[in-house]
Amino acid sequence: MAAGWITGVSFTGSPLLVILNAVLQPETFIWFDVFFSLVLAGIGVLIIVGMYYLTRVVAKGFIRYLRFNMNMVKGGMERA
């Protein structure tokens, strides 16, 4: 989960790094870097949206699993 969120945020922030690179080292500026970073930013937004919904599903499943375990500890299978 953490890797997905980190990937999405880093992809989304890639245009900032390209701008920073262009400011600090203008002799190494390449237009391909700008367009590639914009593609990465778009993919990053899609990853963030997907991770949001995946995190919600996993959290709900984890809560159901914890409730199942609590019922098992309290009363066995007749309460589950």
Side-chain angles (χ1 to χ4, degrees):
M1 294 298 282
W5 279 105
I6 291 170
T7 302
V9 170
S10 63
F11 278 14
T12 304
S14 65
L16 297 174
L17 295 175
V18 170
I19 292 170
L20 182 67
N21 185 34
V23 169
L24 294 177
Q25 298 175 349
E27 65 275 357
T28 62
F29 179 75
I30 301 172
W31 279 104
F32 175 76
D33 292 341
V34 174
F35 295 123
F36 189 71
S37 71
L38 291 175
V39 169
L40 280 180
I43 293 171
V45 169
L46 293 176
I47 290 173
I48 287 174
V49 170
M51 286 304 298
Y52 172 75
Y53 288 110
L54 183 65
T55 301
R56 287 180 55 189
V57 168
V58 169
K60 286 180 183 179
F62 184 67
I63 289 171
R64 288 184 66 200
Y65 173 70
L66 287 178
R67 287 184 183 151
F68 171 76
N69 280 334
M70 286 181 0
N71 287 335
M72 287 296 290
V73 168
K74 286 181 182 178
M77 286 303 290
E78 62 268 1
R79 293 190 64 171

